[in-house]
């Protein structure tokens, strides 16, 4: 059985990065599981770097001086080869950001709090500041996460998002039989486009972790599981 999936568009069109997303026979918080995945998928396990995720909008820059350090935060950026960056999700939205021109990368953990605080924008802004990134050169992948089909939330949370994105004409939610369902995919796509990322460079896998709970860990479907999907990105 495979331990991870890859993204065809990245494999075929961007040769300087390696991207993998683990399946539910792997717990990305287990170092033994990650050793297995890194060996199979050609990631440098010795330099594997992740955050202490706290549902914030903190973006940490990784360079030679802080490889492997764990800091509070929910996004990572680097332009150093052979440093795999890793984020953990189990319904929250993972976003991989790849600067094709300047060969820099970022990974974002965007739950509803991170999405509400536009953590994807803050990650791109930090890449602009540090790597001279032009958003038009970015390719972004929205990975497996809870979809608009399944993400039932309170009316208060929907109204909170409406207030924060008042300049947008689209609705980021549906109402079905008094159930409010929020579309974190659509909101994050909107944030990326507002940053200047081209429509055709946003790859939304549209894999709902709740609908596909036989393949991916789902916090809601699996009774608040502590196991996590790992999204791993590395410059070769």
């Amino acid at each position: 059985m495979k331990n991870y999936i890859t993204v065809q568009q990245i494999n075929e069109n961007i040769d300087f990065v390696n991207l993998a997303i683990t399946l539910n026979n792997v717990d990305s918080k287990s170092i033994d599981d990650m050793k297995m995945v890194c060996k199979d998928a050609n990631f440098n396990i010795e330099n594997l770097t992740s955050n202490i995720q706290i549902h914030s909008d903190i973006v940490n820059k990784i360079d030679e001086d802080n490889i492997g350090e764990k800091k509070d935060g929910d996004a990572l950026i680097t332009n150093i080869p052979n440093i795999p960056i890793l984020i953990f999700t189990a319904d929250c939205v993972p976003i991989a950001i790849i600067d094709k021109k300047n060969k820099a990368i970022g990974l974002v953990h965007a739950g509803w709090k991170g999405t509400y605080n536009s953590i994807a924008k803050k990650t791109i802004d930090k890449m602009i500041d540090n790597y001279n990134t032009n958003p038009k050169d970015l390719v972004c992948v929205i990975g497996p996460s809870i979809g608009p089909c399944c993400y039932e939330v309170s009316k208060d949370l929907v109204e909170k998002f409406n207030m924060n994105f008042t300049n947008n004409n689209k609705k980021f939610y549906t109402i079905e039989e008094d159930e409010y369902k929020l579309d974190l995919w659509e909101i994050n796509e909107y944030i990326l486009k507002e940053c200047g990322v081209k429509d055709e460079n946003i790859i939304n896998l549209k894999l709902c972790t709740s609908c596909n709970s036989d393949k991916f860990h789902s916090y809601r479907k699996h009774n608040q599981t502590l196991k996590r999907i790992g999204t791993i990105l590395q410059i070769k």
Side-chain angles (χ1 to χ4, degrees), residues 5-50:
I5 61 169
T6 60
V7 179
Q8 183 178 355
Q9 297 98 311
I10 302 300
N11 295 342
E12 292 178 351
N13 299 310
I14 304 179
D15 60 4
F16 72 91
V17 297
N18 196 10
L19 172 64
I21 302 164
T22 63
L23 295 167
N24 70 354
N25 56 318
V26 167
D27 178 6
S28 64
K29 288 197 165 185
S30 160
I31 189 61
D32 289 335
D33 284 3
M34 291 314 298
K35 283 179 181 177
M36 175 179 61
V37 171
C38 287
K39 181 179 180 181
D40 290 347
N42 296 315
F43 290 98
N44 183 352
I45 184 68
E46 293 180 2
N47 291 337
L48 187 66
T49 303
S50 59

Side-chain angles (χ1 to χ4, degrees), residues 64-82:
E64 288 97 337
D65 298 327
N66 61 353
I67 296 170
E69 286 185 15
K70 278 187 170 286
K71 301 177 183 177
D72 287 353
D74 288 272
L76 298 153
I77 62 169
T78 192
N79 67 343
I80 310 297
N82 296 315

Side-chain angles (χ1 to χ4, degrees), residues 144-203:
S145 40
I146 196 162
C149 44
C150 297
Y151 190 37
E152 185 182 344
V153 299
S154 67
K155 182 181 179 182
D156 287 347
L157 188 60
V158 165
E159 290 176 347
K160 187 177 172 79
F161 272 87
N162 282 346
M163 289 292 291
N164 205 32
F165 296 95
T166 51
N167 293 326
N168 180 57
N169 293 322
K170 292 182 180 179
K171 271 202 327 182
F172 292 129
Y173 65 93
T174 58
I175 306 172
E176 300 171 9
E177 298 178 357
D178 295 327
E179 291 181 354
Y180 289 78
K181 292 183 178 177
L182 192 63
D183 190 343
L184 293 179
W185 295 344
E186 185 72 27
I187 301 168
N188 280 293
E189 283 194 29
Y190 169 74
I191 291 167
L192 294 172
K193 291 172 188 176
E194 285 291 292
C195 290
V197 181
K198 296 178 180 177
D199 286 16
E200 62 267 28
N201 287 342
I202 299 173
I203 303 165

Side-chain angles (χ1 to χ4, degrees), residues 123-140:
T123 305
I124 290 172
D125 287 346
K126 193 154 186 171
M127 292 177 72
I128 291 169
D129 291 343
N130 285 277
Y131 310 133
N132 199 32
T133 289
N134 183 336
K136 292 180 180 177
D137 297 322
L138 293 176
V139 174
C140 300

